[in-house]
């Protein structure tokens, strides 16, 4: 009897995996569906499900493939995924391994452009409040572009024709290809650190969306926003729009237009200077005319025509005020003097010292407090008797206090 062969789970999964990977159709196919359960792992891998009305399939895109997709997938997005079907042996689940992803109804680059535009707008990088003014009299322009393209020649020609005195510093930069974005960022930082330019022109000639893609990169947008120098973007033709156009302080439809916006025609500067000189001369003449009239008016004032007359008038007024003040003060002093004499008379009449002159004395205790009644004195108390010519020391040896109506009796 033949023993039946027993397979392990791993052997079965490996066998099924080989069948799937060697299948002609499943080895390379395009699958359309709606993205759901999308997750971008920290490793850079993408995990999601593609589904339609009839079913769903698990999908994975590894980091090296996901990095080549210019947009970020979102749940609900209709896409076409190119890849192959295989089996994940550990779980026994078959999956669709994606190698490229394309949105349905819109190109991948256009979708990436719209996503980046929406993201940066939400952060405020396009807000007018952050836009810097382009200087009116530019002395030096930093030009960030390819040194061999038509754009740099147009910028130099237009700028020098409009103002021969303007200086241009060319920063040779890659403007197309995978390394272009990093090179543009480098040139922006270099132009700012150089510190001798007044404005930056960033641009290149026209091309496809793929050709201009470096100017849609997030790193370039943030470098423009961080620039201390104002930036004029001049990318492509008038109908071309890039993220750099929205972040820059000013957008020029072409590189030639950027040179015009960054400079002022020397003839216009001379005309402005002439007009300014004429305006200053007119204003100065008007000031001189008004000042002359005011001087003539002041010369006719009495204070300038007859200065001594005004001084004499002031002297007479001062003398009169002095006389009135003296008269008023003398009267007040006389009244105060008479009042003082009257007050002195009244004070003398009630003063106890005046009474002492008539033979009376004032009795006080040892502290000098007057004793005005017999009741206030005590037998044996030391007292002081103030007379008109001195003080006597005495002691109370006896006392009699009169009752109401009682006459004086001998002690």
């Amino acid at each position: 009897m033949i023993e039946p062969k027993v397979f392990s789970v791993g052997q079965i999964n490996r066998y099924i995996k080989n069948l799937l990977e060697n299948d002609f159709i499943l080895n390379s196919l395009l699958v359309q569906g709606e993205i759901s359960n999308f997750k971008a792992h920290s490793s850079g891998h993408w995990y999601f499900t593609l589904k339609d009305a009839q079913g769903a399939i698990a999908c994975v895109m590894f980091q090296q493939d996901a990095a080549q997709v210019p947009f970020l997938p979102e749940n609900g997005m209709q896409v076409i995924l190119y890849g192959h079907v295989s089996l994940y042996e550990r779980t026994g689940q078959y999956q669709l391994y994606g190698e490229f992803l394309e949105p349905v109804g819109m190109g991948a680059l256009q979708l990436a452009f719209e996503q980046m535009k929406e993201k940066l707008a939400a952060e405020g990088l396009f807000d007018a409040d952050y836009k810097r003014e382009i200087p009116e009299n530019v002395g030096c322009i930093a030009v960030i572009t390819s040194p061999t393209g038509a754009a740099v020649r147009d910028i130099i020609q237009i700028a020098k024709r409009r103002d021969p005195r303007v200086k241009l510093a060319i920063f040779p930069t890659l403007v197309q290809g995978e390394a272009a974005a990093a090179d543009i960022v480098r040139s922006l930082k270099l132009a700012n650190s150089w510190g001798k330019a007044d404005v930056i022109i960033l641009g290149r000639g026209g091309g496809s969306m793929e050709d201009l893609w470096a100017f849609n990169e997030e790193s370039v947008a943030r470098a423009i926003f961080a620039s201390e120098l104002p930036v004029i973007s001049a990318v492509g033709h008038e109908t071309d729009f890039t993220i750099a156009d929205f972040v820059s302080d000013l957008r020029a439809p072409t590189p030639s237009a950027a040179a015009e916006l960054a400079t002022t025609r020397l003839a216009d500067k001379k005309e402005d200077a002439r007009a300014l000189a004429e305006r200053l001369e007119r204003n100065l003449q008007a000031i001189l005319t008004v000042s002359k009239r005011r001087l003539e008016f002041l010369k006719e004032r009495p204070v300038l025509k007859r200065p001594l007359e005004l001084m004499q008038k002031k002297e007479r007024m001062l003398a009169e005020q002095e006389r009135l003040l003296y008269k008023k003060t003398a009267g007040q002093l006389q009244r105060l003097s008479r009042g003082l004499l009257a007050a002195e008379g009244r004070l003398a009449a009630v003063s106890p010292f005046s009474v002492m002159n008539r033979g009376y004395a004032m009795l006080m205790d040892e502290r000098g407090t007057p004793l005005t009644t017999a009741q206030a004195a005590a037998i044996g108390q030391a007292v002081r008797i103030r007379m008109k010519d001195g003080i006597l020391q005495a002691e109370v040896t006896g006392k009699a206090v009169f009752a109401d109506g009682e006459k004086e009796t001998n002690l």
Side-chain angles (χ1 to χ4, degrees), residues 113 116-132 134 188 202 215-227 229-235 241-251:
F113 175 84
M116 182 61 63
K117 181 180 175 183
E118 182 178 350
K119 175 184 177 181
L120 298 182
E123 293 184 25
L125 269 67
F126 304 160
D127 290 357
D129 293 341
Y130 296 117
K131 304 296 184 184
R132 289 150 296 196
I134 306 301
L188 284 167
L202 170 64
F215 297 89
N216 292 321
E217 294 284 359
E218 182 175 1
S219 59
V220 172
R222 296 195 183 278
I224 294 173
F225 187 77
S227 172
L229 295 173
V231 178
I232 301 176
S233 67
V235 182
F241 280 90
T242 65
I243 298 297
D245 294 327
F246 297 106
V247 184
S248 296
D249 302 290
L250 183 64
R251 176 189 180 263

Side-chain angles (χ1 to χ4, degrees), residues 347-364:
L347 181 62
V350 298
S351 173
F353 300 106
S354 298
V355 178
M356 290 178 188
N357 290 331
R358 299 199 297 272
Y360 293 92
M362 183 170 64
L363 187 65
M364 301 175 291

Side-chain angles (χ1 to χ4, degrees), residues 175-196:
V175 294
Q176 184 174 333
E178 293 183 1
D183 206 36
I184 293 171
V185 171
R186 178 194 60 80
S187 293
L188 284 167
K189 292 180 179 179
L190 183 60
N192 276 273
S193 61
W194 183 52
K196 296 182 180 180

